[in-house]
Amino acid sequence: MIKRINEWLSITTSSFFNELRNIFNDAGALLIFCIALLLYPVVYALAYEKELVRDVPIAVVDLDKTASSRMLGRMTDATQEVNVVYKPSSMEEAKQLFFDGKINGVFLIPKDFEKNIYKGYQASVSIYCDASYFLFYKQVLSACTTSTSYFSAGVGVKRLMSQGKSYDQALSAVNPLQFQPKFLYNPSGAYGSFVMPGLLIVIIQQTLLIGIGMLGGTVKERKRHKFMIPSTNKRQKAIPVVLGHGLAFLLIYLFNTVIALLWIYNWFSYPDKSGFFKVFYLIIPFLTAVTFLGMTISVLFKKREHSFMFIVFLSPAILFVSGLSWPASAIPPIISHIAYVLPTTSMIPAYLRLRTMGVGLQDVSHEFWILIIQSCVYFVTACIAYKFAFYQSAKKIRAEDENEEED
């Protein structure tokens, strides 16, 4: 028994150092494992650094040309969401500006706008938003709606004050319910703070899968099957080899994950209600599941670039089913069930609840056990895949030896 344990420890240790040597001797794998994992989050975070889309260029078409219409135009321009850069005299000019890409929306104030207000009739305005880009659409609609609401409230207050009511009475009559929005878990309501925490998890998974796949493709591409089986592993045991390789990947990615989820996360001041050490509760099973999944599929790649092409091809789908770009509850059940093959499907919602909402560890126990089950399942599949690879390698080694003897 002791002899067997020593043998397994020897194989595991040998596999661990061999894999570390392969990683640091492979410029491509080192680029993916270390440089890409740090570069991608920084690039994305810098791109979202402004957090909010402000000063969206729009045009105000004032067909009324009165004091009231000019005031409404100035109120719209004063909002932080839009910037009135053009004031064309007709809708045809505004359309041309839009088609030329100079503006992202048009605010139309019709003729007789002030006249209708003074007569006590309901006046109307038109808002044309570029709905092909929802961030622009949201900002233009929000700015024009806000300015119109404040303008309408002002008209209502003045009308009631002219009837003898005080300012406070008029204000209460016009606005009986006071609206006080409170943004939970994302105080600034910013896009970067919304998307980046989950995107970091996707980047960690994808770079780890690509790197492991590249190393697996290298073995076949360069016909290094002789080196796949350590010299200490004469009986070709898969379990200690999988453990050794897996520990090498985990060691590197534990270090990288600390930098990505601690240093970069705090650098850009993303919402954090739990701290990093609570997150480690999820990071360990997540990295373990991704590592063994990567080792399972790595034996399928015959060339280095195949892993890159395959994982990058799947990246948009992985981002979609993660619930970041589209609510998970709105995804068809069959797709959402298949998505649980990926560790990010469980990790992202649990990580966001833990990190940005500040829930307790017991509230993410369901996802934690899913990650534990995935780790166990993918460890078994990795052992089976490596055993098959050992068998194929042994066949090739015997064939090469026979050819050498014939020669």
Side-chain angles (χ1 to χ4, degrees):
M1 184 67 180
I2 296 177
K3 183 179 179 181
R4 175 178 254 183
I5 292 174
N6 289 334
E7 182 185 1
W8 276 45
L9 287 175
S10 176
I11 297 171
T12 301
T13 304
S14 176
S15 300
F16 171 76
F17 286 108
N18 285 342
E19 196 62 25
L20 280 181
R21 194 177 301 112
N22 290 337
I23 292 170
F24 286 102
N25 288 335
D26 191 317
L30 200 59
L31 178 67
I32 295 295
F33 280 144
C34 299
I35 307 300
L37 179 60
L38 303 180
L39 185 63
Y40 276 127
V42 171
V43 169
Y44 279 112
L46 288 174
Y48 295 126
E49 187 177 15
K50 290 186 177 181
E51 295 277 16
L52 295 171
V53 177
R54 293 186 174 93
D55 294 328
V56 177
I58 67 167
V60 172
V61 180
D62 184 1
L63 300 180
D64 195 43
K65 300 186 185 304
T66 59
S68 297
S69 64
R70 286 192 291 271
M71 179 182 291
L72 179 57
R74 288 195 298 270
M75 290 176 67
T76 304
D77 192 24
T79 62
Q80 66 176 0
E81 290 89 355
V82 301
N83 180 24
V84 178
V85 293
Y86 292 99
K87 295 181 180 180
S89 58
S90 67
M91 275 300 294
E92 290 302 319
E93 292 181 37
K95 286 181 183 179
Q96 191 58 49
L97 290 170
F98 177 81
F99 292 142
D100 291 342
K102 295 180 179 179
I103 57 175
N104 295 104
V106 178
F107 188 31
L108 174 64
I109 304 175
K111 194 175 181 180
D112 296 331
F113 172 76
E114 186 178 69
K115 184 178 179 180
N116 289 332
I117 291 174
Y118 285 154
K119 286 185 176 181
Y121 299 152
Q122 186 177 42
S124 63
V125 294
S126 299
I127 305 169
Y128 298 87
C129 308
D130 183 6
S132 64
Y133 201 130
F134 278 99
L135 284 176
F136 289 156
Y137 163 80
K138 173 181 174 293
Q139 296 299 82
V140 173
L141 181 63
S142 174
C144 295
T145 303
T146 300
S147 62
T148 304
S149 299
Y150 276 102
F151 183 87
S152 299
V155 172
V157 168
K158 288 180 180 179
R159 185 172 296 163
L160 291 172
M161 289 178 67
S162 67
Q163 297 173 3
K165 293 187 177 182
S166 67
Y167 174 78
D168 291 337
Q169 289 175 329
L171 187 62
S172 297
V174 170
N175 187 24
L177 296 176
Q178 189 174 8
F179 177 64
Q180 293 183 341
K182 295 185 182 296
F183 295 97
L184 300 177
Y185 317 126
N186 186 359
S188 62
Y191 187 79
S193 296
F194 150 70
V195 74
M196 276 307 298
L199 192 58
L200 286 172
I201 301 299
V202 175
I203 292 172
I204 290 171
Q205 174 181 276
Q206 298 305 90
T207 53
L208 182 52
L209 291 177
I210 291 172
I212 295 174
M214 285 180 63
L215 292 170
T218 301
V219 172
K220 292 186 178 180
E221 181 180 341
R222 299 179 182 176
K223 298 181 179 180
R224 293 169 57 189
H225 48 268
K226 288 185 179 181
F227 302 99
M228 191 168 185
I229 307 174
S231 57
T232 54
N233 191 12
K234 296 179 180 179
R235 297 183 183 180
Q236 299 179 10
K237 293 182 174 66
I239 293 178
V241 175
V242 169
L243 287 173
H245 289 184
L247 287 172
F249 298 132
L250 280 172
L251 177 64
I252 293 174
Y253 257 70
L254 279 173
F255 175 76
N256 291 343
T257 301
V258 169
I259 294 178
L261 298 184
L262 184 61
W263 177 60
I264 294 177
Y265 200 94
N266 291 333
W267 178 17
F268 291 95
S269 302
Y270 295 129
D272 189 359
K273 291 182 177 294
S274 68
F276 180 74
F277 293 102
K278 261 191 180 181
V279 175
F280 239 85
Y281 176 78
L282 291 171
I283 289 296
I284 299 299
F286 169 68
L287 289 180
T288 304
V290 176
T291 297
F292 291 140
L293 172 61
M295 294 171 67
T296 300
I297 64 176
S298 67
V299 301
L300 304 176
F301 303 122
K302 294 183 178 180
K303 292 185 177 181
R304 289 167 59 85
E305 60 269 19
H306 288 175
S307 67
F308 190 85
M309 295 168 62
F310 177 72
I311 302 300
V312 170
F313 173 76
L314 288 180
S315 292
I318 292 171
L319 187 63
F320 174 75
V321 299
S322 69
L324 279 176
S325 61
W326 184 254
S329 58
I331 298 175
I334 186 171
I335 297 179
S336 62
H337 291 153
I338 294 174
Y340 276 96
V341 171
L342 301 165
T344 44
T345 305
S346 299
M347 178 62 181
I348 288 177
Y351 174 78
L352 293 180
R353 293 207 305 275
L354 194 65
R355 195 85 189 259
T356 65
M357 296 174 65
V359 302
L361 294 176
Q362 69 276 5
D363 296 306
V364 295
S365 60
H366 176 70
E367 288 83 1
F368 173 79
W369 285 109
I370 290 178
L371 291 171
I372 291 293
I373 292 171
Q374 286 178 331
S375 299
C376 296
V377 170
Y378 290 138
F379 174 73
V380 173
T381 57
C383 291
I384 295 172
Y386 266 55
K387 191 67 177 178
F388 176 76
F390 288 170
Y391 174 73
Q392 294 293 327
S393 298
K395 281 179 61 177
K396 291 180 181 179
I397 291 172
R398 284 196 298 269
E400 290 178 0
D401 292 342
E402 290 174 0
N403 290 334
E404 289 177 1
E405 290 177 3
E406 290 178 1
D407 294 340

